[in-house]
Amino acid sequence: MNAAYLDYNATAPVKPEVAAAVARALDLVGNPSSVHSYGRAARKAVEDARERVAALTGATPAEVVFTASATEANNLVLAGAGRTRRIVTAIEHPAVLKTAQSLPGETVVLPVDGDGVVALEALEAALKNSTTPTLVALMLANNETGAVQPVAEATRLAHDHGALIYCDAVQAPGRLAFSLATLGVDYLCLSAHKFAGPKGVGALIVRDGAPLKSVVIGGGQERGRRAGTENVPGIVGFGEAAWLAPQDLANAPRLARLRDRLESRLLEIEPRLHVFSAKAPRLPNTSCLTMPGVQSEMQVMALDLAGVAVSAGSACSSGKVEPSHVLRASGVPDAVSGCAIRVSLGWATREEDIETFLAAWRALYAGLTNRWRSGISSAL
Ligand code: PLP
């Protein structure tokens, strides 16, 4: 059986160079805060990685705060930026949406258009409506649909109204060229495992001068902004992945061609299928689409049996599959979003993987439609 891993937006396979760097770092004995030679060797490894992560975003090393995940980075900034009013979009990751809504003060949730792109007029109106110190959160690219958001324009609006702005850029490295300077944001977060680094390590980039009160209290690590002994092997792997990410950017046009071919071949099989955010600027590697009349969980399971790994376009929490909040916010009826899957490509995706996916999709759909047809004819 051919196998095809097409779930890079959930997590990317670790690159061999990253695995080798992590393995070497496991041999570093010292605690980076220790002053002896063992400690200094671990500190050097962490600081070298910090330089590489900083370079990926155009930040300075001092602006990089290592965390245990992007989820933690989201929590740190929302709770620690010192703003009691937050403006977030309806399509943010739950690590932003739920955190913002759980904090004291006010959270305004902005609508998006039918392609899942934030309405900037709504942002402007929300900014005008208050004198309370505000933090805006706008992701760079959506994890479910790949829709790219107008972050630089949102930054201008936020700053014109005296607000701070935060960007969850987790899905962007290696897929989209960006920098702290071009986006202009005050805070930005990354997650190593989305671009071939290890799981369980992230970063919050805090622009020089932007406020951040630590909410992880303890030792003075990360310049007092996030206590806790650094995850040295994870951070070293993160640094290696950041160093290699420009290669992925060079590979992005190839992935876009594969993704576009996948969509056009599926549309030939079933012209009624829906591709979400197709008219928006989109990540080159992401496709969120329906198999009409077939529940997402059923598709994910059947494709898995055929060796193909994709995600449901709906969120699974506590054992219950719920309609995607992203597609719902884009005005998609639950009955349609319930038939959506997300296919996401990455650095190791080959043409054969796309062919394997297409063959499995076609076989599943043909089998089901034949059954529906015979069901209909036997009912007649
Ligand atoms: N933000 C976005 C846009 C994501 O896609 C994810 C992961 O799915 C996260 C945040 C959370 O990242 P982590 O797995 O590092 O907590």
Side-chain angles (χ1 to χ4, degrees), residues 21-372:
V22 172
R24 283 194 301 275
L26 282 168
D27 285 336
L28 290 168
V29 172
N31 182 321
S33 298
S34 298
V35 292
H36 47 61
S37 61
Y38 295 93
R40 292 199 307 277
R43 169 61 51 206
K44 179 169 183 333
V46 168
E47 297 313 317
D48 287 351
R50 194 187 305 279
E51 277 181 21
R52 289 176 158 190
V53 172
L56 177 67
T57 59
T60 63
E63 292 173 317
V64 176
V65 180
F66 285 121
T67 61
S69 60
T71 297
E72 185 189 301
N74 283 320
N75 276 260
L76 285 188
V77 69
L78 287 160
R83 302 287 152 133
T84 49
R85 183 168 185 262
R86 294 159 295 273
I87 302 176
V88 304
T89 77
I91 56 158
E92 297 300 309
H93 190 273
V96 170
L97 260 181
K98 286 190 185 171
T99 307
Q101 286 165 336
S102 74
L103 290 166
E106 186 195 2
T107 298
V108 178
V109 180
L110 296 180
V112 295
D113 67 16
D115 276 306
V117 177
V118 68
L120 285 174
E121 319 75 61
L123 172 61
E124 192 165 18
L127 284 163
K128 271 187 188 154
N129 272 346
S130 173
T131 49
T132 316
T134 299
L135 174 69
V136 175
L138 176 59
M139 67 196 330
L140 188 46
N142 184 264
N143 44 303
E144 292 187 28
T145 61
V148 176
Q149 305 298 316
V151 175
E153 290 86 335
T155 299
R156 277 192 283 281
L157 287 174
H159 287 170
D160 282 353
H161 291 84
L164 292 168
I165 180 160
Y166 168 54
C167 178
D168 175 338
V170 161
Q171 295 291 343
R175 299 172 187 164
L176 201 65
F178 70 96
S179 74
L180 205 55
T182 54
L183 299 177
V185 294
D186 301 292
Y187 311 90
L188 179 144
C189 80
L190 301 170
S191 179
H193 73 100
K194 303 290 183 181
F195 58 103
K199 296 169 186 54
V201 58
L204 178 65
I205 313 292
V206 183
R207 185 186 49 75
D208 187 27
L212 186 75
K213 187 170 173 298
S214 181
V215 290
V216 183
I217 315 294
Q221 290 91 351
E222 298 299 296
R223 296 170 178 245
R225 294 170 295 185
R226 194 267 186 184
T229 301
E230 298 88 342
N231 168 5
V232 178
I235 288 170
V236 168
F238 191 2
E240 190 69 23
W243 174 249
L244 298 171
Q247 291 176 358
D248 295 349
L249 219 42
N251 191 26
R254 183 185 74 88
L255 293 186
R257 280 194 297 279
L258 288 178
R259 189 271 314 268
D260 292 347
R261 193 195 311 158
L262 177 149
E263 289 178 355
S264 57
R265 294 266 299 274
L266 290 183
L267 280 162
E268 279 164 22
I269 303 171
E270 177 48 274
R272 291 174 307 159
L273 75 74
H274 197 87
V275 180
F276 299 105
S277 299
K279 292 196 215 79
R282 249 191 317 162
L283 290 178
N285 75 317
T286 308
S287 182
C288 183
L289 41 78
T290 59
M291 182 185 275
V294 185
Q295 291 300 304
S296 344
E297 312 90 276
M298 154 86 168
Q299 294 181 57
V300 171
M301 284 187 288
L303 291 170
D304 183 38
L305 287 174
V308 178
V310 298
S311 274
S314 39
C316 182
S317 58
S318 43
K320 198 166 127 231
V321 176
E322 286 169 4
S324 151
H325 73 282
V326 172
L327 297 181
R328 193 178 259 181
S330 314
V332 178
D334 290 353
V336 177
S337 71
C339 298
I341 58 166
R342 178 188 66 193
V343 185
S344 49
L345 288 52
W347 68 271
T349 304
R350 305 154 305 168
E351 267 189 64
E352 303 92 275
D353 299 322
I354 304 303
E355 293 306 320
T356 302
F357 170 83
L358 287 168
W361 198 99
R362 181 196 294 273
L364 170 64
Y365 196 48
L368 288 169
T369 42
N370 283 342
R371 244 180 278 160
W372 291 334

